[in-house]
Amino acid sequence: MLELLHDYWLYFLVGRYPEGPLGGLALTVLLASLALVLSLPIGLLLGLARLSPWRLLRWPVAALIHVVRGIPLLLVIFWAYFFLPSITGHESGQFGTMLAALVIFDGIYLAEIVRAGVQAVPRGQVEAARSLGLNYLDSMRAVVLPQALRHMLPSLVNQFVSTIKETSLGTIIGLAEVSFIASQVNGLVLTKPVQVYFLLGMTYFVLCFSLSRAAFWLERRQARLLKAAA
């Protein structure tokens, strides 16, 4: 195991960079971070539309959310891989394909996180904002969303953990994230598959466990703040 780390640690970390494109663990974290950041506006808009008082907006968004949540991410990746080139007229590449699939998938799940966060805010806050003359959008922007964000933070961290693990599906389209790099290393050494994939598993575990503990800390901190406010 130590010999494997000594020989291939840099390859696991950044792939062929700087001689080639970025890969490995750095690409995994970069892809997951970009996917979460880009999907946040989508999730926010869809989540607010899900709670909209207007049925013509609420029902189609609810239908879209239910449909995408019932589809495996693997199928979304295949759609992005074959469908995007037909729309754009050029190949998007493995990174662009995987990023598009994750943004779509995470945006839908973030919409439900936003909905739950907004619904966790007491109705009296909304009624107080409306009594002050604020319309629906202004009351959401100025009163509800700042409070809902505190409830959403642990779930956002958990979604980031899920996104990191979902990036491993990029292997099927040849994306050089850390799982793909592990497969290449296994092909090079041939006789150490247990050590290679144990190292890969520990890499995911350390990264995701650290983020999970951060989410747990945020939940406990939020509970203490709510208790102090009460």
Side-chain angles (χ1 to χ4, degrees), residues 105-178:
F105 207 72
D106 285 357
I108 294 298
Y109 278 86
L110 288 175
E112 291 297 278
I113 292 175
V114 170
R115 181 177 68 87
V118 170
Q119 289 180 332
V121 177
R123 274 190 76 84
Q125 298 289 320
V126 181
E127 294 171 356
R130 300 302 292 270
S131 68
L132 292 174
L134 298 177
N135 58 31
Y136 173 77
L137 294 178
D138 288 337
S139 61
M140 281 290 176
R141 176 183 56 82
V143 178
V144 177
L145 285 179
Q147 299 180 67
L149 181 62
R150 293 197 296 269
H151 298 289
M152 290 158 48
L153 280 176
S155 297
L156 290 176
V157 176
N158 287 330
Q159 185 62 36
F160 185 50
V161 171
S162 297
T163 305
I164 287 175
K165 292 184 286 187
E166 288 163 356
T167 58
S168 62
L169 291 175
T171 301
I172 63 174
I173 58 173
L175 181 66
E177 42 75 48
V178 68

Side-chain angles (χ1 to χ4, degrees), residues 25-225:
L25 184 61
L27 182 63
T28 294
V29 175
L30 175 64
L31 180 61
S33 302
L34 281 177
L36 189 66
V37 170
L38 294 177
S39 61
L40 271 174
I42 297 175
L44 180 62
L45 292 175
L46 291 178
L48 292 179
R50 186 90 158 81
L51 296 168
S52 171
W54 303 296
R55 294 179 180 177
L56 290 178
L57 181 60
R58 185 174 70 247
W59 287 357
V61 170
L64 175 65
I65 290 174
H66 289 310
V67 168
V68 175
R69 290 187 69 187
I71 295 174
L73 175 59
L74 183 61
L75 186 57
V76 178
I77 294 172
F78 283 144
W79 280 350
Y81 193 65
F82 295 109
F83 187 60
L84 280 180
S86 65
I87 295 178
T88 60
H90 59 84
E91 296 291 337
S92 58
Q94 291 95 338
F95 183 84
T97 296
M98 193 65 195
L99 181 61
L102 287 175
V103 167
I104 294 170
F105 207 72
D106 285 357
I108 294 298
Y109 278 86
L110 288 175
E112 291 297 278
I113 292 175
V114 170
R115 181 177 68 87
V118 170
Q119 289 180 332
V121 177
R123 274 190 76 84
Q125 298 289 320
V126 181
E127 294 171 356
R130 300 302 292 270
S131 68
L132 292 174
L134 298 177
N135 58 31
Y136 173 77
L137 294 178
D138 288 337
S139 61
M140 281 290 176
R141 176 183 56 82
V143 178
V144 177
L145 285 179
Q147 299 180 67
L149 181 62
R150 293 197 296 269
H151 298 289
M152 290 158 48
L153 280 176
S155 297
L156 290 176
V157 176
N158 287 330
Q159 185 62 36
F160 185 50
V161 171
S162 297
T163 305
I164 287 175
K165 292 184 286 187
E166 288 163 356
T167 58
S168 62
L169 291 175
T171 301
I172 63 174
I173 58 173
L175 181 66
E177 42 75 48
V178 68
S179 297
F180 184 83
I181 295 296
S183 299
Q184 288 191 323
V185 172
N186 183 55
L188 291 172
V189 297
L190 294 177
T191 58
K192 299 179 180 179
V194 175
Q195 293 92 325
V196 170
Y197 288 108
F198 178 79
L199 179 60
L200 176 64
M202 287 303 299
T203 301
Y204 278 116
F205 173 76
V206 170
L207 184 58
C208 295
F209 181 74
S210 301
L211 290 170
S212 297
R213 296 306 299 176
F216 178 70
W217 177 81
L218 284 172
E219 288 180 5
R220 294 189 62 181
R221 182 173 181 272
Q222 180 64 28
R224 288 197 300 268
L225 290 175

